[in-house]
């Protein structure tokens, strides 16, 4: 097998669902188009609705065309797709699926390499993996890998239970837990920015950095995911995984080598060093919010409690802001502020590293205040970095004024910047688990988040809804920083 063009049979459970349609089929297509898939690959879709192979191929074609906004001229790609309708709780059907996979192995000369992608509700994960093993689908001559979507559990206890179930059929090295933020170009760039630049790494500690802010704001509401979201909330949906993963990448020590195990082990150390928040400290460190009605991008929108499949008295948070402290030598005393929410002003994910002020400001006597140096990492929608510095004001005698050094990543790579799912699928095919979360990271993240969700679940938020749709969240999120003498930096690219 050429490792750069892996031969594999991908089985997608939940093939008629939203994720498969919007993300997985277009990603497989892009890999194919770029020549990253071997000609010898096949995809089998599994879901309950009764489709024929041809109907499924039309469905996949539509999904690819919706994504590329072009007609698919190459029917050869679509011919690699097959469909096997069944209810995953029905044991008997796994034998038929097994026969289909064995037939496709022969047709495409695939040496038993299988990816089982679970793009379904998590309550099915345990059932599917145990059936895959008991019915012999995992007993292949090639490699087998399990890709698991989030949420990985609802809390530490349920995550442990789920992990025990899937570990009956797959070893840790065969489990690829998706966190799609780890597939984003600029999230992957954090390590390079930090470790490949002599001007940053020596400053990357509590002697020079005053605070770090991570904002991931969305303009969308819960759309049609109310049933899931109302039992999850922003803390579990975004903080336990994506936000903490970004914190780990920003705060970890340089790994000894750039191997999967070395990088993961440094990230786990950060997650374990997070200062635990006890029940009575939650209000001091964390703020929750829920959106009311408002105007987003010029359109009036309804409140969270009016959304489909949401309890009209819901206590679920759609916004979280928090202050995290990392109790280790490098970060002692440096707050990491995070905030994320739905129905905010704009869609944006940004990291702002604020450096400490220079010890003695020679420009004090000027009327202008010197701005702190900032390193802004733009994750999305724009991708790049901006370094905010101070320079001499043109023509003025020794007056400092802010200047910016901008690097725009997707201005250069443009629309060719690979999609997160595309990169992660390719990594999985090549067996590279670096950008997937290890069980130890999942466990440490739940341990941190659990006390906060316990308090929030058991205390009614009397002020909900407490932020207007289209705003940047509740006032208390601003106060969280003000009491430390900081403020949130704006999320607009050019500010
Ligand atoms: N959508 C997204 O953007 C994201 C989704 N995720 C995660 O991905 C997973 C899938 O999400 P999403 O695609 O949105 O979910 P959907 O509800 O859109 O899709 C669920 C899929 O499961 C199938 N299904 C449901 N019950 C059964 C059953 N008993 N047997 C066989 N198939 C069944 C459905 O097809 P049918 O009705 O035909 O059986 C459908 O294909 C979830 O874990 C979600 O949390 C994670 C991040 C983002
Ligand atoms: O995992 C999730 O992420 C999305 C946000 O992802 P992004 O790539 O668009 O930033 C969020 O909308 C969703 O609720 C959550 O489950």
């Amino acid at each position: 097998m050429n490792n750069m063009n892996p031969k594999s049979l991908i089985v997608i459970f939940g093939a008629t669902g939203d994720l498969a349609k919007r993300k997985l089929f277009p990603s497989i297509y892009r890999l194919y188009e770029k020549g990253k898939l071997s000609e010898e690959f096949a995809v089998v879709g599994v879901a309950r609705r009764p489709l024929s192979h041809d109907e499924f191929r039309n469905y996949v074609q539509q999904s690819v065309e919706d994504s590329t906004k072009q007609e698919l001229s190459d029917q050869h790609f679509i011919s690699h797709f097959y469909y096997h309708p069944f209810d995953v709780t029905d044991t008997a059907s796994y034998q038929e699926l097994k026969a289909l996979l064995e037939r496709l192995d022969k047709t495409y000369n695939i040496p038993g390499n299988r990816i089982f992608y679970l793009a379904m509700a998590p309550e099915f994960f345990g059932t599917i993996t145990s059936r895959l093993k008991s019915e012999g689908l995992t007993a292949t001559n090639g490699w087998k890998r399990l890709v698991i979507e989030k949420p990985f559990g609802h809390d530490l206890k349920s995550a442990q239970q789920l992990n025990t179930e899937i570990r009956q059929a797959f070893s840790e090295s065969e489990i690829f837990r998706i966190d799609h933020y780890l597939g984003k170009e600029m999230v992957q760039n954090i390590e390079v920015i930090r470790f490949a630049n002599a001007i940053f790494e020596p400053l990357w500690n509590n002697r020079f950095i005053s605070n770090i802010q991570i904002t991931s704001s969305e303009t969308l509401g819960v759309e049609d995911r109310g049933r899931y979201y109302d039992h999850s909330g922003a803390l579990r949906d975004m903080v336990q995984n994506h936000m903490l993963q970004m914190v780990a990448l920003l705060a970890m020590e340089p790994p000894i080598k750039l191997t999967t195990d070395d990088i993961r082990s440094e990230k786990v150390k950060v997650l374990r060093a997070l200062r635990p928040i006890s029940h009575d400290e939650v209000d001091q460190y964390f703020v929750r919010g829920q959106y009311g009605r408002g105007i987003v991008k010029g359109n009036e929108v309804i409140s969270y409690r009016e959304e489909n499949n949401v309890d009209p008295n819901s206590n679920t948070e759609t916004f979280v802001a928090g202050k995290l402290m990392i109790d280790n030598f490098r970060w002692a005393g440096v707050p990491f502020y995070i905030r994320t929410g739905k129905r905010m002003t704009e869609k944006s994910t940004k990291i702002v590293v604020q450096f400490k002020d220079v010890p003695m400001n020679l420009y004090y006597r000027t009327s202008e205040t010197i701005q702190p140096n900032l390193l802004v990492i733009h994750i999305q929608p724009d991708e790049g970095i901006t370094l905010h510095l101070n320079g001499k004001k043109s023509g003025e005698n020794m007056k400092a004024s802010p200047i910016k050094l901008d690097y725009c990543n997707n201005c250069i790579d443009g629309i060719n910047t690979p999609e997160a799912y595309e990169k992660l699928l390719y990594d999985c095919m090549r067996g590279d688990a670096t950008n997937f979360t290890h069980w130890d990271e999942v466990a440490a993240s739940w341990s941190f988040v659990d006390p906060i969700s316990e308090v929030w679940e058991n205390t009614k938020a009397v002020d909900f809804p407490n932020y207007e749709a289209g705003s940047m969240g509740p006032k208390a999120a601003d106060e969280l920083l003000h009491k430390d003498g900081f403020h949130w930096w704006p999320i607009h690219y050019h500010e």
Side-chain angles (χ1 to χ4, degrees):
M1 182 185 80
N2 173 357
N3 198 31
M4 300 312 283
N5 301 89
K7 289 182 181 186
S8 41
L9 205 168
I10 308 170
V11 186
I12 300 180
F13 290 88
T16 56
D18 176 68
L19 185 73
K21 187 173 186 196
R22 282 192 310 109
K23 299 288 183 186
L24 304 185
F25 303 141
S27 296
I28 296 172
Y29 176 67
R30 280 192 294 271
L31 289 174
Y32 174 82
E33 218 190 2
K34 290 176 183 168
K36 289 183 169 179
L37 280 188
S38 156
E39 263 300 314
E40 287 153 338
F41 81 97
V43 179
V44 176
V46 173
R48 288 168 305 186
R49 67 199 73 170
L51 303 178
S52 66
H53 292 315
D54 279 341
E55 284 168 327
F56 181 58
R57 285 172 191 153
N58 288 339
Y59 182 84
V60 174
Q61 175 165 353
Q62 190 61 56
S63 125
V64 172
E65 289 177 350
D66 288 350
S67 162
T68 58
K69 312 256 183 300
Q70 283 176 15
E71 250 178 55
L72 183 72
S73 49
D74 185 355
Q75 288 300 314
H76 189 61
F77 168 74
I78 294 293
S79 70
H80 288 253
F81 284 74
Y82 297 81
Y83 186 71
H84 185 60
F86 76 97
D87 187 319
V88 294
T89 56
D90 170 15
T91 309
S93 300
Y94 285 84
Q95 282 303 320
E96 289 163 29
L97 177 62
K98 184 174 179 231
L100 173 61
L101 301 191
E102 285 168 357
R103 183 161 66 76
L104 293 175
D105 273 352
K106 289 203 185 93
T107 310
Y108 291 99
N109 192 24
I110 299 170
N113 298 336
R114 288 179 188 170
I115 293 178
F116 299 100
Y117 196 121
L118 307 193
M120 284 186 60
E123 63 258 34
F124 295 111
F125 294 171
T127 310
I128 298 172
T129 51
S130 83
R131 299 276 190 279
L132 288 175
K133 182 171 182 186
S134 65
E135 301 309 310
L137 284 85
T138 52
T140 79
N141 293 327
W143 45 254
K144 61 179 196 297
R145 292 177 190 143
L146 178 74
V147 183
I148 284 233
E149 268 299 337
K150 57 171 291 219
F152 197 90
H154 187 72
D155 51 20
L156 179 60
K157 192 162 167 246
S158 56
Q160 275 166 333
Q161 199 177 331
L162 172 59
N163 202 45
T164 308
E165 279 174 350
I166 62 176
R167 286 294 300 274
Q168 312 287 322
F170 294 86
S171 66
E172 178 62 32
S173 63
E174 293 170 330
I175 301 171
F176 289 66
R177 297 179 194 82
I178 288 249
D179 182 315
H180 77 279
Y181 268 57
L182 296 181
K184 290 187 190 283
E185 192 68 19
M186 289 307 292
V187 172
Q188 295 190 351
N189 213 336
I190 294 173
E191 274 173 69
V192 184
I193 293 168
R194 284 190 55 192
F195 302 132
N197 288 300
I199 61 162
F200 291 134
E201 192 43 33
L203 307 182
W204 212 261
N205 55 53
N206 55 7
R207 289 176 56 212
F208 298 100
I209 290 179
S210 76
N211 72 90
I212 294 186
Q213 306 178 7
I214 309 174
T215 299
S216 192
S217 58
E218 296 189 70
T219 48
L220 291 179
V222 284
E223 308 293 293
D224 51 4
R225 295 171 73 213
R227 194 166 286 119
Y228 149 76
Y229 196 89
D230 209 33
H231 290 101
S232 163
L235 187 69
R236 292 189 176 96
D237 188 50
M238 291 292 291
V239 175
Q240 183 272 337
N241 35 70
H242 312 318
M243 303 300 279
L244 290 185
Q245 283 293 322
M246 288 190 278
V247 169
L249 287 168
L250 286 163
M252 73 183 189
E253 293 300 315
I256 302 164
K257 287 193 238 99
L258 287 178
T259 63
T260 304
D261 286 347
D262 287 309
I263 294 172
R264 283 169 158 187
S265 124
E266 295 305 337
K267 281 164 64 194
V268 171
K269 283 188 211 160
V270 172
L271 296 169
R272 289 198 183 131
L274 285 173
R275 183 181 300 171
I277 296 179
S278 63
H279 285 176
D280 52 8
E281 287 172 330
V282 169
D283 287 349
Q284 197 185 321
Y285 286 94
F286 270 79
V287 169
R288 58 176 159 168
Q290 187 191 79
Y291 63 82
R293 293 179 182 183
I295 295 178
V296 178
K297 296 200 272 186
N299 298 317
E300 278 184 27
V301 297
I302 55 173
S303 69
Y304 175 68
R305 289 177 176 178
E306 295 169 297
E307 302 274 13
N308 275 343
N309 298 316
V310 167
D311 177 351
N313 295 309
S314 177
N315 199 37
T316 300
E317 79 287 351
T318 59
F319 173 98
V320 174
K323 169 178 163 179
L324 282 59
M325 299 304 291
I326 299 171
D327 287 334
N328 65 16
F329 205 78
R330 186 187 282 261
W331 294 114
V334 180
F336 282 65
Y337 298 107
I338 56 169
R339 68 177 161 167
T340 181
K342 298 222 178 263
R343 286 284 190 231
M344 293 174 66
T345 318
E346 65 182 82
K347 170 81 180 163
S348 169
T349 304
K350 300 238 179 307
I351 296 166
V352 180
V353 179
Q354 179 175 344
F355 292 89
K356 287 187 173 166
D357 294 337
V358 282
M360 190 186 65
N361 178 3
L362 294 173
Y363 304 94
Y364 268 155
R365 275 173 295 162
T366 68
S367 53
E368 287 174 38
T369 325
I370 275 197
Q371 292 297 314
N373 292 147
L374 305 176
L375 170 67
V376 183
I377 304 177
H378 309 271
I379 308 286
Q380 63 183 11
D382 37 69
E383 297 174 1
I385 53 177
T386 307
L387 191 54
H388 293 245
L389 304 169
N390 292 296
K392 181 183 157 307
K393 202 167 188 169
S394 232
E396 305 257 354
N397 203 14
M398 298 316 272
K399 268 193 171 179
S401 83
I403 53 174
K404 282 188 303 180
L405 305 183
D406 263 342
Y407 164 69
C408 172
N409 194 50
N410 54 351
C411 298
I412 294 168
D413 293 340
I415 52 166
N416 292 327
T417 307
E419 240 272 354
Y421 274 94
E422 175 188 334
K423 282 196 276 182
L424 294 174
L425 262 171
Y426 188 53
D427 284 355
C428 175
M429 286 179 200
R430 289 181 303 124
D432 181 352
T434 312
N435 292 311
F436 294 81
T437 40
H438 188 274
W439 164 246
D440 293 346
E441 296 170 70
V442 176
S445 303
W446 279 124
S447 301
F448 177 74
V449 155
D450 275 356
I452 306 164
S453 48
E454 279 156 17
V455 169
W456 285 355
E457 262 165 22
N458 295 317
T459 354
K460 183 93 187 143
V462 285
D463 60 342
F464 274 8
N466 61 352
Y467 71 99
E468 233 179 74
S471 71
M472 283 307 286
K475 288 213 165 42
D478 296 334
E479 283 150 21
L480 186 72
L481 273 70
H482 289 167
K483 64 188 182 197
D484 292 341
F486 301 125
H487 62 82
W488 291 106
W489 290 99
I491 56 165
H492 306 288
Y493 189 64
H494 292 293
E495 284 182 78

